[in-house]
Amino acid sequence: MNVSLLRRLPMTLLLEGDFFNMKYSQLFGKTIKDTPKDSKLVSHQLLYQGGFIRESTAGRYYFLPLGERVQNKIINIVRKHMDASGAQELLTPVMHPLELWQETNRTSTAGFELMKVEDRRGATFVPGGTAEEMLVDVVRKFNISYKDLPFNLYQFSLKFRDELRARGGLLRMREFIMKDAYSFGTEEQFKAIYQTMWDTYAAIYKELTLKADVVAADNGYIGGDYCHEFVVESEAGESRYFIDEASGYAAHEDVAGFTKYTEAGNEEMKPRKDVEGKGIIGVAELAKFLEIPVEKTTKTILFENEKGEVIAAAVNGLYDINETKLKHILKCNELKLATPETVKRVTKAEVGYAGILNLPKEVIIIMDDSLRGRKNFECGANKTNYHSININFGRDIPEPEKFYDIAMAQAGYTAPDGKGKLVEKRGIEVGNIFQLGYHYSNLMKDAEYTGESGKREKYYMGCYGFGIGRTLATIVEKYHDDKGIIWPAVIAPYQVHLVSIRENEKAERLYKQFIEAGIEVLYDDREDISAGQKFADADLIGLPVRLVVSKKTGDQIEWKKRAEKESELIEFKEVINRLQLSSRT
């Protein structure tokens, strides 16, 4: 039950109302056999069939009564742990004044398309995608002293994302509830809150019965060392990440590192030579043709950024280029493969023969650290159909002042500590924590507090997001069988599913006794539905316990846990004892 609702309702209404129980005949949103068109994920199909959600328009969903009960229970668990961490709940307006986003230049760098709304006064607003500007704006309305720091403000609010492709049911929506939190303080205070939020999220997912890997991740244009995603392993997820179970290393593919091949470097220099290899482009085929190991080859890819600058990125032929890492090094927001026309203009060759030899000065050259210490290696000759072999730094090309890490990790590569092997996983991101640093306080006027010296100082900020709908869908992805959902008791919409098989008079008495005992019960009181259909509906909805009253059960009740095959006959008193015990654990 929504605790915040309890706070707002008068006690007389609470005593008279029936908030813990529902008769299925009166429930809005019954089960259905059909599945949504083009639905591929189990969570999308089962939540639709079970009567938890319905789609409004693409990416926007109605949460029906059953779905709303689950969502509220997740929210209350998150609220409990956030409050225990010392965070304080507030609520910001959904519509953000456009000028706040213009103040931070996020109208062009947000990373997702903005929707804009104009009111009758001509003022323009942005339906909030995230709330950094709003939180900074409300904080700067107060005269904050260092004595007031640190503090962490959070909310449960609607978020809007104009996603290009809304898909996956609740996993990728255009409108959804998020718990987002923002901490304000000094850099050292941020580090302490960051660890607190890490621990808080771990406790939340444990209570929700989800095993979440804490994965180092990309912090986008903010940058910095503090950025982690909480990812639940699932084939339904879009996050690809790598772990080394021996060391505990875990990182998203965007940032994952690994131990790279190191060349001995004690060879004698050989004469450089251009070799014709018409139509030979791939490194494996090229190495075979040139009769050299693949590790002697070089991949050189040309890119263009939003400024129109051309970048030549080069890695050992063993590896692929990680564009996210490359974007960070270049400090650019956009990166795309250079057009064939650009490649020919820069290299004087067709696509596939680019190299790091004799490129025009305006080309930015970024070399991966897998090229360091090489001798007698191959690279494109910047001449159609030709490859240069026995290239050496110092003689043929200048050695760069700095090598970078721009290589993409792959399963089986050696972990950064040089011991274990990376294992590839796929999962659903259900939460994230990351530093904002001084980014917003530098961009927004008066985002400052009074320090100990009396001088105005800028806030060092952190951000902590938790996807409510994504978490709900993830739980269904993890807990289901071929019959339906298997809800963990902590968030099930009701504790028990009471089924009457032509014994409604007896079931009604039990139903009232459940109410008196404070047990959450969904009572299937339908008289014109077969026992088989009622059982199928109970399995699909997935409440933790099914209780059956029939002539066969006599004075007892049939008890069956949703996740188990066997049932048993027990006394009503024992039913109450078991349910009350489970609610306390």
Side-chain angles (χ1 to χ4, degrees), residues 320-350:
D320 292 321
I321 292 172
N322 184 319
E323 293 185 28
T324 300
K325 292 181 179 179
L326 184 58
K327 284 168 68 174
H328 277 301
I329 291 165
L330 296 168
K331 293 181 171 55
C332 66
N333 297 314
E334 297 177 15
L335 200 63
K336 63 181 181 180
L337 288 174
T339 64
E341 294 77 17
T342 298
V343 172
K344 192 162 188 177
R345 174 176 59 81
V346 170
T347 68
K348 306 297 188 281
E350 300 295 332

Side-chain angles (χ1 to χ4, degrees), residues 276-277 344 347-351 353 381-386:
E276 184 177 11
K344 192 162 188 177
T347 68
K348 306 297 188 281
E350 300 295 332
V351 173
Y353 303 96
N382 290 330
K383 184 165 61 173
T384 300
N385 294 327
Y386 281 85

Side-chain angles (χ1 to χ4, degrees), residues 293-495:
V294 171
E295 56 265 27
K296 284 289 189 182
T297 65
T298 305
K299 289 180 185 175
T300 304
I301 309 294
L302 297 188
F303 297 90
E304 295 178 82
N305 62 19
E306 66 268 29
K307 298 178 182 178
E309 296 171 320
V310 178
I311 300 97
V315 296
N316 189 302
L318 292 168
Y319 311 123
D320 292 321
I321 292 172
N322 184 319
E323 293 185 28
T324 300
K325 292 181 179 179
L326 184 58
K327 284 168 68 174
H328 277 301
I329 291 165
L330 296 168
K331 293 181 171 55
C332 66
N333 297 314
E334 297 177 15
L335 200 63
K336 63 181 181 180
L337 288 174
T339 64
E341 294 77 17
T342 298
V343 172
K344 192 162 188 177
R345 174 176 59 81
V346 170
T347 68
K348 306 297 188 281
E350 300 295 332
V351 173
Y353 303 96
I356 46 179
L357 287 161
N358 304 318
L359 289 170
K361 291 182 179 180
E362 65 269 19
V363 175
I364 301 170
I365 301 175
I366 303 293
M367 297 190 199
D368 185 67
D369 50 19
S370 60
L371 304 186
R372 183 187 288 117
R374 299 175 97 198
K375 285 189 175 180
N376 302 318
F377 59 91
E378 173 277 340
C379 76
N382 290 330
K383 184 165 61 173
T384 300
N385 294 327
Y386 281 85
H387 306 271
S388 295
I389 60 172
N390 300 329
I391 298 299
N392 286 276
F393 288 116
R395 185 191 69 185
D396 304 303
I397 55 175
E399 186 164 349
E401 293 182 5
K402 184 177 181 180
F403 290 95
Y404 299 89
D405 173 22
I406 58 169
M408 176 69 77
Q410 300 292 352
Y413 286 2
T414 303
D417 65 2
K419 297 178 181 178
K421 298 293 184 181
L422 295 180
V423 176
E424 179 181 335
K425 292 191 174 186
R426 185 169 293 278
I428 303 169
E429 179 195 348
V430 288
N432 55 56
I433 57 177
F434 55 94
Q435 72 185 54
L436 297 174
Y438 297 113
H439 182 82
Y440 287 93
S441 51
N442 278 334
L443 293 174
M444 297 186 72
K445 184 180 178 182
D446 298 328
E448 300 170 331
Y449 64 94
T450 302
E452 288 189 65
S453 66
K455 294 181 180 180
R456 300 293 286 171
E457 299 181 25
K458 296 182 182 297
Y459 293 109
Y460 197 96
M461 295 174 58
C463 181
Y464 319 94
F466 189 106
I468 303 299
R470 289 177 68 86
T471 299
L472 190 158
T474 301
I475 290 171
V476 177
E477 289 289 339
K478 299 298 289 186
Y479 295 101
H480 70 272
D481 59 17
D482 58 355
K483 296 180 180 179
I485 302 169
I486 305 175
W487 288 112
V490 69
I491 61 163
Y494 295 92
Q495 292 173 269

Side-chain angles (χ1 to χ4, degrees), residues 498 500-513 523 525 527 549:
L498 176 63
S500 170
I501 308 300
R502 291 183 293 277
E503 285 287 336
N504 278 22
E505 185 176 337
K506 179 181 178 181
E508 285 281 351
R509 292 197 302 271
L510 292 174
Y511 176 63
K512 292 178 180 178
Q513 288 176 292
Y523 167 35
D525 60 327
E527 297 183 357
V549 177

Side-chain angles (χ1 to χ4, degrees), residues 149-162:
L149 301 181
F151 52 85
N152 189 11
L153 304 175
Y154 78 97
Q155 64 175 341
F156 297 96
S157 67
L158 280 174
K159 297 292 186 289
F160 299 84
R161 304 282 174 85
D162 199 7

